[in-house]
Amino acid sequence: MASFDPLLDKDGVRLTVDDALATVTLTNPAKRNAQSPALWRALAEAGQSLPGTVRVVLLRAEGKSFSAGLDRQAFTPEGFDGEPSFIDLARRSDAELDAAIAEYQEGFTWWRRSDIVSIAAVQGHAIGAGFQLALACDLRVVADDVQFAMRETSLGLVPDLTGTHPLVGLVGYARALEICATGRFVLAEEAQRTGLASIAVPVDQLDDAARDLAGALLAAPRDALIETKALLQGAVDRTYEDQRVAERAAQGRRLRDLAGVGE
């Protein structure tokens, strides 16, 4: 992929911007892009650093694995330098623990902002927090060697990095429960068949396929794409009749804008 001076490059996260396309890259392949609170804060900072010109954000990872999930160092008494260990967090009050998890989630929440479309290009292992980071994006393009798994339940935990809502929305309650409860691998064929992935390609074609999808999204008029995304995001919570009303209102805004007519 093309190289540009990064707007952010810290704690295993690099952000580059080429006009309307931003690329967020996980940059710690030696540790299979294992995640930590510092990485989550860097992801949140990447979202805050996006220029207003950005319309599409591509998330990718260096190395053979997208992300092997949470760095197990978090579960040691030492934890990470300058960070409370998870053991320390468990001893805090309910309010303090809730605030800490909410801060961690911030690295996962901005990918579905109404003014951008996000694409995750996923290869190899995407485990636990790695799976949830891929689920944070609007769309996923996967390599044929992808291995999704939600291992939190197997560790006595629950998925808490915003992945449960999109997972249920994509594959349904029963399959989502089975995936989370068993911790099994979801491979490329199943991911594409069940809607977890838009497309599966050979691993050496992953970056090109993701960039082709980004190009197709950038070809659409920005305001029309934003309105369409908002319509689809809200559809699950609306009745059929409410969705009809929302469609009419959105189309009215688009027609007035195209005709240069004010509200």
Side-chain angles (χ1 to χ4, degrees):
M1 305 184 81
S3 177
F4 305 96
D5 291 337
L7 296 183
L8 176 76
D9 195 355
K10 61 189 292 189
D11 297 320
V13 175
R14 183 172 62 243
L15 167 66
T16 58
V17 175
D18 180 16
D19 193 21
L21 176 64
T23 302
V24 176
T25 304
L26 305 182
T27 60
N28 192 5
K31 296 193 72 171
R32 296 194 300 163
N33 297 305
Q35 298 185 28
S36 67
L39 180 140
W40 297 334
R41 283 193 289 271
L43 287 173
E45 187 176 343
Q48 296 162 3
S49 301
L50 292 180
T53 57
V54 170
R55 298 177 51 196
V56 175
V57 181
L58 175 59
L59 170 64
R60 59 184 298 275
E62 294 177 349
K64 294 183 177 180
S65 292
F66 178 75
S67 174
L70 180 64
D71 190 323
R72 296 298 180 91
Q73 189 174 337
F75 294 104
T76 66
E78 300 78 17
F80 305 99
D81 289 342
E83 302 277 354
S85 72
F86 281 17
I87 296 172
D88 293 330
L89 286 175
R91 297 190 177 105
R92 296 185 177 183
S93 69
D94 289 347
E96 289 173 319
L97 183 56
D98 182 79
I101 296 172
E103 180 192 11
Y104 298 158
Q105 290 176 330
E106 289 301 313
F108 295 73
T109 56
W110 62 267
W111 302 89
R112 292 180 181 246
R113 273 170 31 184
S114 61
D115 59 327
I116 60 171
V117 177
S118 55
I119 306 165
V122 188
Q123 78 279 9
H125 290 96
I127 310 297
F131 192 3
Q132 293 188 78
L133 183 55
L135 286 166
C137 293
D138 295 304
L139 304 169
R140 281 149 297 284
V141 177
V142 302
D144 55 10
D145 69 344
V146 76
Q147 297 182 65
F148 290 115
M150 201 73 82
R151 291 289 171 79
E152 286 83 352
T153 307
S154 306
L155 297 172
L157 302 170
V158 300
D160 67 336
L161 295 170
T162 77
T164 56
H165 188 277
L167 182 62
V168 171
L170 289 165
V171 305
Y173 160 75
R175 190 182 293 267
L177 175 60
E178 181 255 334
I179 288 170
C180 292
T182 65
R184 70 172 177 86
F185 285 120
V186 177
L187 305 183
E189 185 278 331
E190 181 182 357
Q192 186 173 14
R193 172 168 48 83
T194 59
L196 277 173
S198 299
I199 186 173
V201 297
V203 66
D204 61 350
Q205 298 177 23
L206 180 63
D207 278 350
D208 287 342
R211 289 187 68 85
D212 286 347
L213 178 56
L217 293 168
L218 289 170
R222 179 172 193 162
D223 289 344
L225 185 59
I226 289 173
E227 291 275 13
T228 300
K229 179 175 178 177
L231 271 175
L232 296 175
Q233 283 181 317
V236 67
D237 296 319
R238 298 190 188 106
T239 66
Y240 178 78
E241 289 303 319
D242 288 343
Q243 186 69 2
R244 290 180 61 207
V245 172
E247 288 176 0
R248 296 198 299 270
Q251 193 70 301
R253 288 190 293 271
R254 296 306 313 128
L255 288 171
R256 288 192 181 95
D257 185 64
L258 291 172
V261 178
E263 293 285 343

